[in-house]
């Protein structure tokens, strides 16, 4: 019984901590850091419900040019498991040689149990991408499961991937 009481109080402490985290301040800090790279988010609507921080209709510009529109961003900072989900990303025509035009969802997951790695999942008109980013080694590893017409629709992006064991793989260090 004491163990259950301990688990209850630890869970309650984590929930209250997440509930009262200054999520808007973290968001503005992230905007400030992105601004150093000339990436600006604007015209967004911020909200929070039960510890989940949401951003709606964010316009992204890069060096003053409209780069993308993001329908929604949800950040779930649950301390032991953190996730940020981007929904309905529309990339501007000018930047479609670097990224597909429409991304339905993109998820980034992080846990303090393995603090040097981010897990990535993307889904869109191009297919599905899953992979990871190693922050310590600054290496990204992505596996693409493309739709049938990916090679014809995105030839410049297709050239960046290598076919390894029947899968399209992208590996890079930066």
């Amino acid at each position: 019984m004491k163990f259950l009481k301990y688990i209850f109080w630890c869970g309650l402490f984590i929930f209250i901590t997440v509930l009262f985290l200054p999520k808007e301040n973290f968001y503005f800090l992230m905007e400030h850091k992105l601004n150093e790279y000339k990436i600006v988010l604007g015209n967004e609507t911020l909200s929070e419900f039960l510890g989940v921080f949401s951003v709606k209709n964010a316009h992204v510009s890069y060096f003053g040019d409209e780069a993308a529109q993001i329908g929604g961003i949800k950040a779930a900072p649950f301390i032991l498991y953190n996730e940020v989900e981007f929904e309905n990303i529309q990339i501007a025509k000018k930047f479609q040689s670097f990224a597909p035009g429409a991304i339905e969802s993109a998820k980034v997951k992080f846990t303090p149990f393995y603090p040097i790695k981010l897990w990535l999942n993307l889904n869109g008109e191009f297919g599905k991408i899953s992979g990871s980013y190693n922050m310590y080694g600054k290496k990204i590893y992505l596996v693409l499961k493309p739709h049938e017409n990916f090679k014809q629709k995105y030839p410049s992006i297709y050239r960046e991937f290598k076919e390894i064991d029947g899968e399209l793989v992208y590996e890079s260090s930066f």
Side-chain angles (χ1 to χ4, degrees), residues 9-23:
W9 286 111
C10 285
L12 184 64
F13 174 75
I14 289 173
F15 176 73
I16 289 172
T17 302
V18 167
L19 197 61
F20 291 109
L21 276 174
K23 294 171 209 66

Side-chain angles (χ1 to χ4, degrees), residues 8-85:
F8 170 76
W9 286 111
C10 285
L12 184 64
F13 174 75
I14 289 173
F15 176 73
I16 289 172
T17 302
V18 167
L19 197 61
F20 291 109
L21 276 174
K23 294 171 209 66
E24 283 190 20
N25 291 350
F26 289 136
Y27 177 76
F28 294 131
L29 176 66
M30 185 255 335
E31 272 191 338
H32 179 69
K33 292 293 183 185
L34 286 174
N35 198 15
E36 293 174 5
Y37 298 100
K38 305 299 183 209
I39 300 171
V40 178
L41 278 74
N43 298 333
E44 69 268 43
T45 306
L46 309 177
S47 65
E48 182 181 349
F49 181 70
L50 290 178
V52 177
F53 181 71
S54 298
V55 179
K56 300 283 185 200
N57 301 320
H59 296 272
V60 181
S61 62
Y62 181 66
F63 280 97
D65 293 332
E66 181 73 23
Q69 292 184 354
I70 303 173
I73 303 170
K74 291 181 185 173
F78 295 129
I79 298 173
L80 300 177
Y81 173 81
N82 305 291
E83 181 176 284
V84 178
E85 181 177 2

Side-chain angles (χ1 to χ4, degrees), residues 20 26 35 37 42 46-47 102 106-107 118-119 125 128 130 148:
F20 291 109
F26 289 136
N35 198 15
Y37 298 100
L46 309 177
S47 65
K107 292 182 183 179
L118 296 173
W119 287 271
E125 64 182 22
K128 294 183 180 185
S130 60
E148 296 104 26

Side-chain angles (χ1 to χ4, degrees), residues 12 25 59 89-90 97 112 146 150 168:
L12 184 64
N25 291 350
H59 296 272
I89 303 169
Q90 299 295 322
S97 62
F150 178 79
L168 292 176

Side-chain angles (χ1 to χ4, degrees), residues 100-119:
I103 301 171
E104 294 169 13
S105 68
K107 292 182 183 179
V108 179
K109 298 174 187 175
F110 172 79
T111 179
F113 296 119
Y114 197 55
I116 63 169
K117 196 169 194 178
L118 296 173
W119 287 271

